[in-house]
Amino acid sequence: QVQLVESGGGWVQPGGSLRLSCAASGTIFSINAMGWYRQAPGKQRELVAVIISGGSTNYADSVKGRFTISRDNAKNTVYLQMNSLKPEDTAVYYCNAEVSEHKGWVPFDYWGQGTQVTVSS
């Protein structure tokens, strides 16, 4: 079993910054992609950013140039640095990881519990 634990959410004024962290623990052989999704009230969950094991990244158009995703493979941890935050970034942010628990096993998607990010004045 694998657990993802997020931290770093909170309240910030428009233009401010926050850094989210997500640490994976448990039975882990390898992690392919790690990413962040968000869900605002009344909206569907959407991809924010993803990083694969080789370091390639992909971002939603709405956050390009403002958010940066990174990962520490030794710590099985992914980060999301969020700068120039806007009210429309307000949402619950979820961490996601594609984890193979043992060699040869098909990767399985795991999710964190979510962390609230609120951007308002």
Side-chain angles (χ1 to χ4, degrees):
Q1 191 65 288
V2 175
Q3 299 81 39
L4 301 182
V5 178
E6 300 135 338
S7 61
W11 173 84
V12 65
Q13 291 186 333
S17 298
L18 284 174
R19 188 189 193 216
L20 305 182
S21 299
C22 171
S25 62
T27 305
I28 298 172
F29 173 75
S30 65
I31 301 178
N32 183 18
M34 299 187 81
W36 291 94
Y37 291 71
R38 67 187 181 187
Q39 188 167 18
K43 295 187 177 181
Q44 290 188 330
R45 190 174 297 188
E46 63 176 359
L47 173 69
V48 176
V50 63
I51 183 168
I52 65 172
S53 57
S56 296
T57 59
N58 191 35
Y59 295 91
D61 288 343
S62 59
V63 307
K64 284 181 180 177
R66 300 188 297 122
F67 291 9
T68 302
I69 190 170
S70 60
R71 65 190 279 180
D72 184 332
N73 291 329
K75 296 181 179 179
N76 291 329
T77 299
V78 63
Y79 306 96
L80 186 67
Q81 178 66 43
M82 305 185 292
N83 299 328
S84 302
L85 282 160
K86 304 175 181 180
E88 50 264 43
D89 294 318
T90 296
V92 178
Y93 284 70
Y94 296 91
C95 174
N96 170 267
E98 294 178 1
V99 180
S100 294
E101 294 183 50
H102 299 281
K103 185 178 181 179
W105 283 30
V106 175
F108 186 81
D109 264 350
Y110 288 92
W111 292 89
Q113 79 284 359
T115 185
Q116 177 70 45
V117 171
T118 302
V119 185
S120 72
S121 53

